[in-house]
Every structure is written in structure tokens, then in C-alpha cells.
Amino acid sequence: GHSDWIFDVTWLSEDIILSGSRDSSMGVWKLTHNVYNEDNDYNYPMAECVPTMRMMFGFSNSREGHSHGSKVRSLAINKDLGTLASLQSSVCDASLHFWDRYTFQELCSVDLPYNLENVCLQVQPDYNLYAVGSRSHVSFVDGRLGNQ
């Protein structure tokens, strides 16, 4: 699993979720076949690592001039376009990264204009428009063009 707090989770499909963590990674998780296991004392669905893919994968922020240790603060999926977005922030910068939701390959990233406490992300799928909430601003990013 993750080595630090999980900040966000989102569904990739009906039985697979994606988690984003303060440890700068995302994890892919698959619900078990028997969601309500008779042996489960807690009586809630159990999840396990997806066995056919690596559960954790990192970001190559250094090639883009970002500092190491960017926390994955929030996640958003645009199912129509097959993309996912991760909001990443560190002490001195914040960026929005776009990924192929099937291969987990990074497509592009956009530096955000406000660096303080970027914590939430939502997508308007019809327009592929992303809204990022920070300490006192909302930034909008056009996912089609990578423009703010």
C-alpha cells in the first residue's frame, strides 16, 4: 500500500479504484471477487492490489522542473476522453498532470498559477474543463489544450 496518508480515491471502473497519496504516488486497487467475505469481521468490502499491474507508480516531476515530493492531493476522471488528472503540490509549486487512464502514461502537465494549498479538483466532462481549488482562488484548466 501507500507509505503515507491517502488524500483521494476515485473509481476507474466498477471494481477498480485509484488512490492518490501524500507519499507522491498513486495506487490501483481491485475489489476482491467476494466483496463481502464471510471471514471478514468488519462486514465491509475488502480491496486488494490489482495483480496484473504494478500497484504503485511514481511521477517523473524532475524532468519538468518540479521539485520532488509532490503530494497527490486530488484525482479526477474524464471517462468520455479516457483521461485522468492528478493535482500535485509541494511547498513551492502546484501542477495538474494528465494521464491515460488505461495505460497510466503521462500525457502532459500544467503548472498552476497559485501555489498555496491546492487541495481539490473537479472536472466538467462535457467541456473537459478542470477546476482546482487553492487557499483563496479557483484556477481553471482546459484539458483539451492544457491552457489556463
Side-chain angles (χ1 to χ4, degrees):
H2 291 286
S3 63
D4 209 335
W5 296 351
I6 295 173
F7 283 141
D8 200 8
V9 294
T10 190
W11 290 98
L12 292 177
S13 69
E14 67 234 12
D15 63 345
I16 297 176
I17 60 170
L18 177 72
S19 57
S21 172
R22 190 167 88 168
D23 66 9
S24 304
S25 67
M26 292 190 286
V28 179
W29 304 82
K30 182 174 178 62
L31 290 177
T32 59
H33 297 292
N34 183 5
V35 175
Y36 288 99
N37 186 336
E38 300 277 331
D39 298 329
N40 178 357
D41 294 335
Y42 303 106
N43 197 28
Y44 59 79
M46 302 298 288
E48 63 185 10
C49 173
V50 178
T52 57
M53 55 179 89
R54 295 177 65 102
M55 189 193 80
M56 307 300 287
F57 58 97
F59 302 101
S60 52
N61 289 340
S62 59
R63 70 179 161 80
E64 298 168 11
H66 294 263
S67 62
H68 292 284
S70 292
K71 303 171 187 98
V72 180
R73 296 300 307 224
S74 190
L75 303 163
I77 301 287
N78 188 329
K79 292 182 179 180
D80 295 338
L81 295 179
T83 58
L84 66 96
S86 63
L87 171 61
Q88 296 176 232
S89 65
S90 67
V91 174
C92 60
D93 63 18
S95 55
L96 191 58
H97 293 253
F98 296 94
W99 306 83
D100 181 293
R101 77 177 262 218
Y102 303 106
T103 65
F104 302 111
Q105 296 297 311
E106 186 172 7
L107 304 172
C108 68
S109 66
V110 175
D111 290 330
L112 296 171
Y114 302 103
N115 295 327
L116 295 175
E117 299 178 23
N118 287 274
V119 296
C120 56
L121 170 67
Q122 285 291 313
V123 62
Q124 204 298 338
D126 295 335
Y127 300 109
N128 200 25
L129 185 64
Y130 293 81
V132 177
S134 66
R135 176 186 260 176
S136 58
H137 297 88
V138 175
S139 301
F140 294 95
V141 177
D142 184 337
R144 298 167 297 178
L145 306 173
N147 292 332
Q148 299 177 40

